[in-house]
């Protein structure tokens, strides 16, 4: 969007420039131009015999006759300071209760405040909506955390038609301030089973959170351990001690949420024109599958610190296309496609713009543990031990990635040193494990391929496709197995690999990455893989085909025990054991590598690379004069 409009403006200025050579005053030029127009359409339709009002946001490209005044370079400089980025895919949602992926979380991070936030450089927990907090103990001996809130954060609505923000007001005309009751509503909404939050388990450390979310008899929403002590004090009561709870309290699923807006339009409240926010930016445009535009919120409590006035975010899945736009100065920062790594590192300009650093994320292949033949640990071990992670890092990724034999990366409390536990590359073990399975089944490798038709699935991405092709070849070369590779669009893919999807519809192996929500192993082995309390996309311990009932194992008991102990050394040992069981004994999944950030950034953009919590575009800055000079 930015470049199209800029190109039009440049063309007009060239025409005006000819006239300006003859006269110094402002010149008016009439032109017919193509322009995007956003319309809010309200219609009445009949649904099951009833008249229902439906509102749609429509963007059209129309011809407009416009008088353009040449304001010279000063006029261009007055355009909003704009950041151009690529999200890489369509955000599945902007609803804090429903978001589970980094694309959604990045966007939500810029629209909504949370109780706490992370320092982008150190990962330390910092004040945000909460100014201070302290731990305590209630009468029953349960650990509590009490947060005192600031009183100058307001709920706002942005109107795309007028380009204006407005404060929400109460019946008496007073601004609606974000308060403790909004936090209580947000936490309860995430844990309410009727909401359908797939990330609710992150809040299971809150007293009765798991019981209420799981629909246990006798537990109601009032039993959840969160309450407003007054308008600007909120207290959480926990199931067991959790020194990392200020980090959890700052996650998007625990954010204050606009109850009235959500209840008025439960399905559409996150769309432009309807969404009610409280953060540094508001939502201007969301052209699904194409583009999203955020604009600076002048009513944000710290608006003076936000320099970028407009974020134009594309949704291009092809890394090569995004990189071409970057090289054409149409994106300010982007990832580097795998095939371009050698050229970028050798190029005198691009190499200066390249940033490589460790990132608190892990790339892995999940095995569906209750789908044949991956319900047999010997098959899982064969597939995991066949992956030459170092070769993948050296010859395909080329960005300093760290080969992984377990889950949590360095820097996470309780994470074992890479390569010390779990399952790494061992082709002889892989071959013997699969052969033992084949012998027991009285089956040849050809019969194995014909019987099981093993499928590996990943979300649509050139990079994931190249990694899949490399590992597919490793499996063929080492084991003789034939694996089909499929891909799906991100939102569809997330639904496909859920543990509730019918078993016949899920692949045998799927690709995912996990990035830290907070720097503790509880966020990794427990919240991702625990059979009862975690996401459990691996379907560990599933008794029936569609995982309606699970049986726990030693791994699950270890992650719960680690939650309940306060001794750091003991917690570290419990997590070391859990990591080794998960990747080494159960081989429930195949850890592949710990991420590095591999990004190029234009010299006019000053940005950070947050360790936790999502990208805070509102903290970035653009040297607008330098950018304009480069793109003219």
């Amino acid at each position: 969007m930015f470049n199209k409009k800029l190109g039009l403006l440049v063309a007009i200025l060239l025409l005006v420039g000819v006239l300006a050579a003859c006269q110094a005053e402002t010149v008016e030029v009439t032109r017919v131009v193509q322009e995007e127009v956003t319309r809010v359409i309200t219609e009445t339709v009949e649904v099951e015999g009833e008249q229902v009002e439906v509102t749609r946001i429509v963007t059209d490209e129309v011809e407009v006759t416009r008088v353009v005044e040449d304001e010279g370079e000063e006029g261009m400089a007055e355009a909003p300071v704009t950041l151009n980025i690529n999200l890489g895919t369509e955000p599945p949602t902007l609803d804090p209760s429903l978001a589970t992926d980094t694309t959604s979380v990045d966007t939500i991070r810029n629209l909504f405040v949370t109780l706490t936030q992370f320092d982008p450089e150190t990962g330390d927990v910092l004040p945000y909506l909460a100014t201070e907090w302290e731990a305590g103990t209630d009468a029953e001996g349960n650990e509590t955390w009490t947060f005192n809130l600031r009183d100058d954060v307001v709920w706002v609505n942005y109107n795309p038609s007028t380009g204006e923000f407005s404060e929400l007001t109460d019946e008496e005309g007073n601004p609606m301030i974000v308060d403790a009751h909004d936090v209580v509503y947000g936490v309860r909404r995430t844990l309410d089973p009727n909401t359908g939050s797939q990330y609710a388990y992150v809040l299971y450390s809150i007293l009765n959170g798991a019981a209420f979310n799981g629909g246990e008899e006798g537990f109601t929403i009032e039993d959840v351990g969160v309450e407003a002590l007054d308008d600007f004090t909120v207290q959480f009561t926990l199931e067991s001690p959790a020194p990392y709870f200020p980090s959890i309290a700052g996650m998007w699923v625990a954010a204050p949420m606009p109850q009235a807006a959500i209840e008025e339009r439960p399905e559409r409240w996150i769309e432009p024109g309807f969404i009610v926010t409280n953060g540094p930016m508001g939502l201007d445009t969301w052209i699904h599958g194409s583009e999203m535009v955020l604009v600076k919120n002048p009513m944000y409590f710290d608006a003076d610190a936000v320099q970028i006035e407009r974020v134009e975010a594309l949704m291009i899945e092809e890394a090569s296309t995004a990189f071409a736009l970057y090289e054409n100065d149409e994106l300010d920062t982007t990832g580097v496609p795998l095939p371009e790594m050698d050229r970028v590192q050798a190029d005198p300009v691009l190499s200066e713009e390249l940033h490589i650093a460790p990132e608190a994320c892990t790339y892995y292949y999940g095995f569906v543990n209750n789908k044949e033949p991956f319900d047999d640990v010997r098959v899982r071990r064969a597939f995991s031990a066949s992956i030459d992670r170092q070769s993948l890092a050296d010859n395909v990724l080329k960005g300093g990635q760290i080969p992984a034999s377990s889950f949590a990366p360095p820097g996470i409390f309780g994470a074992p040193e890479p390569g010390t536990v779990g399952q790494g590359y061992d082709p002889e073990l892989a071959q013997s494990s699969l052969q033992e399975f084949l012998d027991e089944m009285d089956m040849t490798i050809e019969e194995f391929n014909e019987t099981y038709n093993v499928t590996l699935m990943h979300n649509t991405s050139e990079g994931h496709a190249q990694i899949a092709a490399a590992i597919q070849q490793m499996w063929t070369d080492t084991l003789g197995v034939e694996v089909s590779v499929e891909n799906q669009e991100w939102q569809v893919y997330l639904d496909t690999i859920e543990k509730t999807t019918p078993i016949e519809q899920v692949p045998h192996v799927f690709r995912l990455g996990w990035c830290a929500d907070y720097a503790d192993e509880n966020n990794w082995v427990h919240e991702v893989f625990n059979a009862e309390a975690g996401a459990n996309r691996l379907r560990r311990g599933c008794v029936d085909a569609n995982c309606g009932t699970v049986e726990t194992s030693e791994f699950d008991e270890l992650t719960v025990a680690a939650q309940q102990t306060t001794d750091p050394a003991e917690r570290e040992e419990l997590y070391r054991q859990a990591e080794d069981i998960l990747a080494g004994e159960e081989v429930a999944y195949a850890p592949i590598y710990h991420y590095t950030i591999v990004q190029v950034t234009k010299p006019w953009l000053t940005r950070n690379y947050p360790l936790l919590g999502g990208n805070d575009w509102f903290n970035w800055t653009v040297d607008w004069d330098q950018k304009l000079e480069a793109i003219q």
Side-chain angles (χ1 to χ4, degrees):
M1 179 179 286
F2 176 85
N3 234 39
K4 183 197 306 182
K5 293 180 178 177
L6 182 61
L8 171 61
L9 182 55
V10 171
I12 293 172
L13 290 173
L14 288 174
L15 174 59
V16 174
V18 175
L19 300 176
C22 302
Q23 56 190 74
E25 67 269 18
T26 299
V27 177
E28 293 185 347
V29 179
T30 301
R31 290 177 59 90
V32 177
V33 300
Q34 293 289 118
E35 187 169 289
E36 288 183 349
V37 176
T38 299
R39 298 178 291 130
V40 179
I41 300 176
T42 301
E43 301 173 324
T44 300
V45 298
E46 184 174 309
V47 178
E48 296 182 352
E50 296 184 8
Q51 297 299 310
V52 178
E53 188 179 86
V54 178
T55 304
R56 296 184 292 122
I57 305 295
V58 178
T59 301
D60 299 320
E61 192 170 84
V62 300
E63 287 190 351
V64 178
T65 302
R66 181 177 298 281
V67 176
V68 182
E69 291 186 354
D70 174 21
E71 299 174 348
E73 294 182 0
E74 182 179 350
M76 290 187 67
E78 290 176 356
V81 177
T82 303
L83 171 69
N84 293 92
I85 58 174
N86 178 38
L87 296 177
T89 188
E90 167 93 17
T93 185
L94 297 184
D95 187 327
S97 282
L98 301 180
T100 64
D101 65 298
T102 55
T103 309
S104 299
V105 170
D106 279 350
T107 312
I108 290 170
R109 172 81 169 95
N110 293 271
L111 293 172
F112 296 92
V113 300
T114 46
L115 280 172
T116 61
Q117 60 181 332
F118 294 104
D119 184 297
E121 303 297 331
T122 66
D124 293 340
V125 182
L126 301 176
Y128 200 14
L129 177 62
T131 58
E132 58 185 1
W133 49 89
E134 63 178 358
T137 306
D138 69 5
E140 286 73 38
N142 297 310
E143 182 174 86
T144 62
W145 283 90
T146 305
F147 295 80
N148 297 320
L149 313 185
R150 60 189 309 133
D151 61 2
D152 57 353
V153 180
V154 296
W155 290 109
V156 300
N157 171 255
Y158 178 77
N159 187 330
S161 298
T162 64
E164 295 180 350
F165 282 87
S166 60
E167 291 180 339
L168 270 66
T169 57
D170 59 22
E171 294 179 354
E172 298 176 356
N174 300 313
M176 294 182 66
I177 307 297
V178 179
D179 62 20
H181 306 286
D182 297 319
V183 177
V184 171
Y185 170 74
V187 170
R188 287 177 170 180
R189 177 172 179 262
T190 296
L191 285 169
D192 189 334
N194 294 316
T195 302
S197 172
Q198 296 174 358
Y199 225 65
Y201 59 81
V202 176
L203 301 181
Y204 282 3
S205 56
I206 299 173
L207 184 66
N208 298 326
F212 173 62
N213 183 250
E216 288 188 30
E217 187 176 352
F219 289 92
T220 71
I221 199 167
E222 300 293 333
D223 296 316
V224 174
V226 57
E227 64 175 320
L229 302 184
D230 57 46
D231 286 348
F232 296 101
T233 309
V234 63
Q235 185 175 85
F236 295 86
T237 304
L238 306 189
E239 290 276 0
S240 58
Y244 47 82
F245 188 76
S247 300
I248 293 179
M251 292 177 61
W252 60 97
V253 288
M257 299 182 203
Q259 182 173 358
I262 293 171
E263 292 179 350
E264 182 179 0
R265 295 184 178 88
E267 303 299 327
R268 303 209 57 205
W269 78 273
I270 58 173
E271 294 289 341
F274 300 148
I275 190 169
V276 172
T277 58
N278 54 28
M281 296 186 169
L283 181 63
D284 177 271
T285 305
W286 188 356
I287 304 174
H288 291 279
S290 176
E291 179 181 32
M292 179 176 285
V293 177
L294 276 59
V295 291
K296 177 180 174 178
N297 172 16
M299 298 175 181
Y300 173 58
F301 74 87
D302 198 21
D304 290 345
V306 180
Q307 186 251 359
I308 290 173
E309 299 169 299
R310 185 176 176 89
V311 177
E312 296 188 351
L314 301 177
M315 303 173 188
I316 299 171
E317 293 180 339
E318 298 79 14
S320 57
T321 303
F323 190 71
L325 292 175
Y326 175 85
E327 290 198 277
N328 197 41
D329 292 335
E330 295 179 65
L331 290 177
D332 298 326
T333 186
T334 195
V336 180
L338 299 183
E340 297 285 1
M341 281 299 300
D342 290 339
R343 179 172 74 88
V344 169
Q345 291 174 323
D347 186 280
V349 175
L350 291 173
S351 62
E352 288 295 312
E353 299 173 356
L354 178 64
H355 176 85
I356 297 178
E359 187 173 15
C361 303
T362 297
Y363 195 103
Y364 70 97
Y365 276 1
F367 301 134
V368 177
N369 284 207
N370 67 333
K371 182 163 184 166
E372 294 182 346
F374 290 88
D375 57 346
D376 192 299
V377 65
R378 294 168 296 185
V379 175
R380 300 196 298 267
R381 187 180 306 282
F383 274 69
S384 180
S386 298
I387 301 173
D388 189 341
R389 292 136 171 102
Q390 189 65 58
S391 174
L392 188 74
D394 294 341
N395 301 312
V396 179
L397 304 171
K398 302 180 181 179
Q401 290 81 1
I402 303 171
S405 62
S406 54
F407 197 44
I412 301 299
F413 175 84
E417 286 295 317
T420 60
V421 301
Q423 179 64 65
Y425 178 53
D426 189 337
E428 292 184 0
L429 175 63
Q431 291 166 353
S432 63
S433 294
L434 183 60
Q435 190 59 53
E436 183 179 333
F437 171 81
L438 294 174
D439 290 344
E440 182 176 305
M441 300 295 289
D442 193 21
M443 180 181 288
T444 66
I445 191 62
E446 291 78 16
E447 291 170 329
F448 177 93
N449 291 328
E450 184 178 348
T451 300
Y452 297 115
N453 297 309
V454 174
T455 299
L456 162 65
M457 184 178 289
H458 61 82
N459 56 296
T460 304
S461 157
E462 292 172 332
H464 299 328
Q466 288 158 351
I467 293 169
I471 294 178
Q472 178 190 38
Q473 190 61 51
M474 293 176 188
W475 285 337
T476 298
D477 292 345
T478 303
L479 302 174
V481 298
E482 297 174 359
V483 175
S484 300
V485 178
E486 299 178 1
N487 73 90
Q488 291 180 340
E489 180 271 328
W490 182 231
Q491 188 165 1
V492 175
Y493 179 73
L494 289 177
D495 290 338
T496 297
I497 62 176
E498 273 302 309
K499 66 180 179 182
T500 54
T501 301
I503 191 69
E504 62 273 9
Q505 296 177 20
V506 299
H508 298 85
V509 187
F510 59 88
R511 168 269 157 196
L512 266 186
W514 183 260
C515 296
D517 297 319
Y518 53 93
D520 192 281
E521 267 274 24
N522 185 71
N523 183 227
W524 291 75
V525 290
H526 181 77
E527 293 181 350
V528 180
F529 295 132
N530 185 279
E532 286 188 318
N536 195 21
R537 289 188 174 95
L538 305 180
R539 305 189 180 208
R540 296 180 52 259
C542 293
V543 174
D544 55 286
N546 295 325
C547 214
T549 306
V550 296
E551 292 179 348
T552 57
S553 68
E554 182 184 1
F555 165 82
D556 304 297
E557 294 167 359
L558 285 169
T559 69
V560 172
Q563 283 184 321
Q564 297 172 346
T565 182
T566 57
D567 180 75
E570 184 179 349
R571 290 186 75 229
E572 285 186 315
E573 174 58 23
L574 291 171
Y575 283 130
R576 188 198 67 78
Q577 294 177 34
E579 287 267 20
D580 197 34
I581 290 172
L582 186 69
E585 293 182 22
E586 291 186 10
V587 202
Y589 74 115
I592 298 177
Y593 64 85
H594 302 306
Y595 283 48
T596 53
I597 298 165
V598 183
Q599 291 276 135
V600 283
T601 299
K602 294 296 183 181
W604 54 77
L605 174 61
T606 301
R607 60 159 297 177
N608 55 40
Y609 299 88
L611 300 172
L612 304 163
N615 280 309
D616 51 347
W617 305 319
F618 61 92
N619 279 330
W620 301 2
T621 59
V622 173
D623 186 326
W624 192 232
D625 291 336
Q626 184 181 1
K627 179 171 178 175
L628 287 177
E629 182 179 355
I631 64 181
Q632 288 181 26

